[in-house]
Amino acid sequence: GAVVSQHPSWVICKSGTSVKIECRSLDFQATTMFWYRQFPKQSLMLMATSNEGSKATYEQGVEKDKFLINHASLTLSTLTVTSAHPEDSSFYICSARDFRQRLSYEQYFGPGTRLTVT
Amino acid sequence: GDSVTQMEGPVTLSEEAFLTINCTYTATGYPSLFWYVQYPGEGLQLLLKATKADDKGSNKGFEATYRKETTSFHLEKGSVQVSDSAVYFCALSDRGLQGAQKLVFGQGTRLTINP
C-alpha cells in the first residue's frame, strides 16, 4: 500500500516551453502533497505544499508563477514548469500524506521526474 | 532555520562490515527525526524514525538513537549486505506554514556494499 506514482519519469523540453508533471496517490487519498527539487549530489529542497482544493503554499525563494501547482483531487497534484529554462533542469520529487493519517508526519514519496531543458 | 547535516559520501564497505552514517541537526523546538532510504530507480522510503529524545528507531537491522544532548541521530548497522546499497537521507520534521509538517533533509549519503 501507500504507493505514489509520477509521470513522466523523465522529460526533455526546449527552452521557453512548459512542462507538466503529475503526482498520483494510487491506493490512498492525499489531502496534502509536497513538491521537492533535488540537485545532483544535493539534498531535497521543499518547493511547495499542496492542499486539495486550495492554493499551494510556496517556500521562500520559489517563484509561484513559474512553478504552478494544482491539487484538484484527492489523488492528483500537478506541477507545471512554465517557460522552462536550462537552470530549471533538475530532479523533481513529490510526496503525499494519507488523508487517514493527516495528523501524522509520514510522507510517501514518488520515484521522481528528471527534467532536462535544452 | 532548521537544518540537517550528514556525513558526505560516497561510502564503500565490504559485506558484513559495520556501518555508521553520521547525522546532526539544528532545530528550534522538538523535532521528530527520520532516516529515509532511496534504492536505485525508486522513491524515498521511510527506514526508521524517533519522535523524542532517547528514542531508538530500528528497522531491517538498522538503528538510530535520538540524542538531544549532541543533537545527533547517527545511523548504524552491525553487518551490511549488498542489498543495503542505496542513498540514505537523514531528515527532521518541522511544522511549517499552516501547520503542515514539512521535512528538512540532509544532503544524502550514497552507500555501496561490495560482495
Side-chain angles (χ1 to χ4, degrees):
Chain A
V3 178
V4 175
S5 70
Q6 282 185 240
H7 179 80
S9 56
W10 60 270
V11 58
I12 301 173
C13 70
K14 292 188 176 181
S15 188
T17 62
S18 295
V19 175
K20 180 184 286 187
I21 302 170
E22 293 185 348
C23 176
R24 292 182 185 274
S25 56
L26 297 185
D27 49 4
F28 65 97
Q29 293 182 327
T31 49
T32 303
M33 289 184 169
F34 302 86
W35 285 97
Y36 296 86
R37 184 173 178 176
Q38 185 180 25
F39 292 99
K41 299 184 179 180
Q42 295 190 27
S43 181
L44 283 74
M45 301 297 295
L46 180 65
M47 299 174 65
T49 301
S50 166
N51 292 296
E52 187 265 338
S54 64
K55 291 183 179 180
T57 302
Y58 290 81
E59 295 297 303
Q60 192 173 8
V62 177
E63 298 177 60
K64 60 182 66 177
D65 293 332
K66 180 162 190 64
F67 298 100
L68 301 179
I69 293 172
N70 183 282
H71 193 161
S73 78
L74 286 173
T75 59
L76 173 65
S77 177
T78 60
L79 168 68
T80 302
V81 183
T82 62
S83 186
H85 290 285
E87 57 265 30
D88 298 324
S89 299
S90 192
F91 195 56
Y92 293 88
I93 301 172
C94 74
S95 70
R97 182 178 297 141
D98 190 330
F99 170 74
R100 295 165 298 181
Q101 302 173 3
R102 57 191 177 279
L103 299 181
S104 166
Y105 46 75
E106 184 140 11
Q107 299 177 24
Y108 302 99
F109 286 80
T113 297
R114 171 79 57 194
L115 169 63
T116 302
V117 184
T118 60
Chain B
D2 296 354
S3 66
V4 175
T5 302
Q6 58 182 104
M7 65 186 288
E8 289 190 26
V11 174
T12 302
L13 296 172
S14 297
E15 204 165 21
E16 299 183 2
F18 183 85
L19 168 71
T20 300
I21 301 178
N22 290 336
C23 172
T24 57
Y25 68 91
T26 58
T28 55
Y30 304 96
S32 295
L33 301 174
F34 310 86
W35 277 99
Y36 281 84
V37 59
Q38 186 176 29
Y39 299 104
E42 299 183 18
L44 274 73
Q45 301 172 25
L46 179 63
L47 179 61
L48 52 84
K49 66 182 185 291
T51 58
K52 61 183 187 297
D54 299 326
D55 269 2
K56 177 185 284 187
S58 61
N59 185 26
K60 299 181 180 180
F62 290 89
E63 293 183 340
T65 301
Y66 190 145
R67 300 286 189 199
K68 190 170 183 292
E69 63 276 13
T70 55
T71 62
S72 64
F73 192 55
H74 304 321
L75 182 68
E76 297 182 337
K77 185 173 185 180
S79 177
V80 292
Q81 306 300 314
V82 173
S83 57
D84 294 326
S85 298
V87 181
Y88 292 81
F89 292 91
C90 185
L92 63 81
S93 70
D94 178 22
R95 192 166 293 279
L97 299 175
Q98 299 183 347
Q101 295 236 20
K102 66 175 191 178
L103 292 171
V104 177
F105 286 89
Q107 69 268 41
T109 302
R110 181 174 299 278
L111 173 66
T112 301
I113 307 299
N114 294 320

